[in-house]
Amino acid sequence: MAYFDAASAAPLHPVGRQALLAALDEGWADPARLYREGRRARLLLDAAREAAAEAVGCRPDELVFTPSGTRAVHVGVEGALAGRRRVGSHLIVSAVEHSSVLHAAEVHTSGGGSVTEVAVDRTGAVDPAAYARALRPDTALACLQSANHEVGTVQPVAEVAEACRAAGVPLLVDAAQSLGWGPVAGDWSLLTASAHKWGGPSGVGLLVVRKGVRFAPQGPSDERESGRAAGFENIPAVVAAAASLRAVRAEAAEEAARLRELTERIRTRVPASVPDVEVVGDPRRRLPGIVTFSCLFVDGETVLHELDRAGFSVSSGSSCTSSTLTPSHVLRAMGVLSEGNVRVSLPPGTEAEEVERFLTVLPRVVAEVREKLGAPVAAGAAGGTAGGSGVLVVDALGRRCPIPVIELAKVIGDVPVGGTVRVLADDEAARLDIPAWCEMRGQEYVGEEPADHGSAYVVRRLS
């Protein structure tokens, strides 16, 4: 089985496994106690903190361990906002932040705070100037991920941090996806990360708060982890997290070069072997192991199941899954095709042979799924003639992705050049996928109009 979902959780690094097993015997006692077992546990905890701080590029007393990366984000956002409440209650986030950041922003809004969401371009990157424009006198905190978890795009953290620093606003960086590859550049103020993203055990997060940043931990006070992470420390897991981070950093340069070559193969060869594919994310400023693409006329859940049957574990931001009827917020913010979305995230150690086998299997899987759905066989195959009616209505109400786009593709040739097709749909994915189809096929997306039920998406035939 080829595991290609390291962006969700990387396999436990062998060094982390060894450290975990050793710490289970040595680090089980309460590190706050003064007897021998407690002192031994404290030494392990302090050593892990120093190793993690060295990898982050901060002081050990600026870093605390939390029960997860999500908890680190929530504590960081809440504490920074509370510490600067006298300044104001304005929060800035990007539109493609991890859900943990966006959920924290929702809670902030429900409590009376205000949030500005900074848009991204079609590669998923923010414009540093847009962050600068969003800064206000009452801005308490800004948040920006170091790299996107769904499409791999690396964000301009250093430039955004510079703008925030000039305005006196702390910047919280979610470094979950990138910390295993290297420290985060820039003059940031707070940083969060999650061990299971770099090959450490699950259940360990990092929160860094730079000295001088106003921070007020929320909730009941606790004497552990500087009062910022309540509860007994999971010392074996913390030790394993720090050991695995040090190990992956030692291998990062070599592995990054190797994985970039493998992901570039996927980025180049998937569009060449699978018709009607959009590769998304920045082609250059990107993490080494992530490549994401979307396939027209494909049910994303079925593709993932078929790839699983063929021996490949991949993930998706597609709306065509049983867990959601709306597209990934990342793909939606980027304005790219969402149907048939596949994210391949290669863990360190991935063999080239596994990638080659994936590139051989994928075209067959996509073709079989399209055939089952009755999709057009080849790009440009619209059917019909150029002499039909100038306006045609397609009723796709109640039909989910990718059916509305398939029905559009089948009938676009039934209207003359200059004629229009109105697609009636109540699937949120149509709002992204119909404009994306127009861009891929050289047709004009006129816009969205209200309808009695759902929306009408108007497309004009250009060719």
Side-chain angles (χ1 to χ4, degrees):
M1 190 76 180
Y3 181 75
F4 288 175
D5 194 23
S8 293
L12 186 61
H13 194 282
V15 171
R17 182 183 298 276
Q18 294 171 2
L20 178 64
L21 293 175
L24 286 171
D25 293 330
E26 298 293 327
W28 51 268
D30 187 345
R33 302 306 175 195
L34 298 179
Y35 42 71
R36 180 170 48 190
E37 294 85 356
R39 295 196 305 272
R40 187 182 299 130
R42 170 55 63 180
L43 286 174
L44 288 174
L45 181 60
D46 288 346
R49 197 184 314 278
E50 290 177 5
E54 181 182 4
V56 171
C58 67
R59 293 170 37 160
D61 59 352
E62 294 175 327
L63 184 150
V64 299
F65 295 104
T66 63
S68 68
T70 293
R71 187 63 189 142
V73 166
H74 293 171
V75 171
V77 171
E78 292 169 353
L81 288 172
R84 286 173 50 82
R85 62 168 60 93
R86 292 185 179 179
V87 173
S89 60
H90 179 230
L91 171 66
I92 302 173
V93 301
S94 84
V96 294
E97 293 299 310
H98 188 269
S99 58
S100 59
V101 174
L102 298 183
H103 291 161
E106 290 172 2
V107 171
H108 180 59
T109 301
S110 66
S114 61
V115 176
T116 295
E117 193 172 275
V118 178
V120 297
D121 61 21
R122 283 186 66 85
T123 71
V126 301
D127 179 1
Y131 260 80
R133 290 191 298 270
L135 292 166
R136 305 185 330 207
D138 64 337
T139 301
L141 177 68
C143 299
L144 179 63
Q145 58 190 192
S146 56
N148 187 258
H149 50 293
E150 288 195 24
V151 300
T153 297
V154 173
Q155 300 290 1
V157 171
E159 295 91 331
V160 171
E162 183 179 358
C164 290
R165 179 66 65 179
V169 174
L171 176 68
L172 183 151
V173 178
D174 170 15
Q177 289 296 335
S178 73
L179 192 59
W181 298 110
V184 177
D187 197 8
W188 46 265
S189 301
L190 301 96
L191 180 142
T192 63
S194 187
H196 73 277
K197 302 290 188 178
W198 66 65
S202 59
V204 179
L206 302 180
L207 170 62
V208 178
V209 181
R210 295 285 201 191
K211 292 296 181 183
V213 175
R214 292 186 177 275
F215 192 89
Q218 300 301 285
S221 61
D222 192 285
E223 68 277 8
R224 297 181 187 272
E225 293 301 297
S226 303
R228 294 172 183 171
F232 197 99
E233 298 93 342
N234 185 347
I235 294 178
V238 164
V239 169
S244 59
L245 180 57
R246 175 177 286 179
V248 298
R249 281 291 190 81
E251 304 161 353
E254 182 178 350
E255 273 301 307
R258 205 174 63 81
L259 292 185
R260 285 190 190 280
E261 193 277 327
L262 293 178
T263 53
E264 190 58 33
R265 287 192 205 181
I266 300 174
R267 288 183 61 86
T268 302
R269 289 170 55 183
V270 167
S273 60
V274 181
D276 298 319
V277 165
E278 181 178 15
V279 180
V280 300
D282 195 292
R284 291 174 297 278
R285 288 176 56 94
R286 58 184 305 101
L287 291 175
I290 298 180
V291 56
T292 306
F293 54 89
S294 300
C295 308
L296 272 174
F297 315 134
V298 163
D299 174 357
E301 184 176 84
T302 303
V303 169
L304 264 59
H305 283 317
E306 292 300 318
L307 287 173
D308 181 53
R309 290 176 60 186
F312 298 98
S313 301
V314 300
S315 63
S316 174
S318 174
S319 59
C320 312
T321 66
S322 59
S323 60
T324 178
L325 292 178
T326 60
S328 145
H329 72 277
V330 172
L331 301 178
R332 186 169 60 243
M334 293 168 63
V336 297
L337 182 68
S338 72
E339 67 184 47
N341 179 263
V342 176
R343 180 186 69 180
V344 175
S345 49
L346 306 177
T350 299
E351 298 291 341
E353 292 77 10
E354 293 178 329
V355 172
E356 287 297 324
R357 189 166 68 87
F358 175 79
L359 290 168
T360 301
V361 168
L362 180 70
R364 172 183 58 79
V365 166
V366 174
E368 290 176 353
V369 174
R370 284 173 171 167
E371 183 179 5
K372 291 176 183 177
L373 291 170
V377 174
T385 65
S389 170
V391 179
L392 192 151
V393 177
V394 173
D395 187 350
L397 293 170
R399 309 188 73 182
R400 299 302 175 195
C401 161
I403 301 302
V405 181
I406 289 176
E407 295 303 314
L408 168 62
K410 286 180 178 179
V411 304
I412 190 69
D414 293 340
V415 298
V417 173
T420 60
V421 178
R422 299 178 79 249
V423 182
L424 303 178
D426 51 7
D427 181 11
E428 178 69 20
R431 185 168 285 113
L432 279 181
D433 295 341
I434 290 176
W437 177 89
C438 291
E439 183 166 328
M440 295 172 73
R441 290 297 183 82
Q443 310 297 348
E444 179 186 356
Y445 178 63
V446 178
E448 180 181 348
E449 298 177 353
D452 292 340
H453 300 284
S455 297
Y457 301 95
V458 183
V459 174
R460 177 174 290 110
R461 182 182 177 188
L462 299 182
S463 61

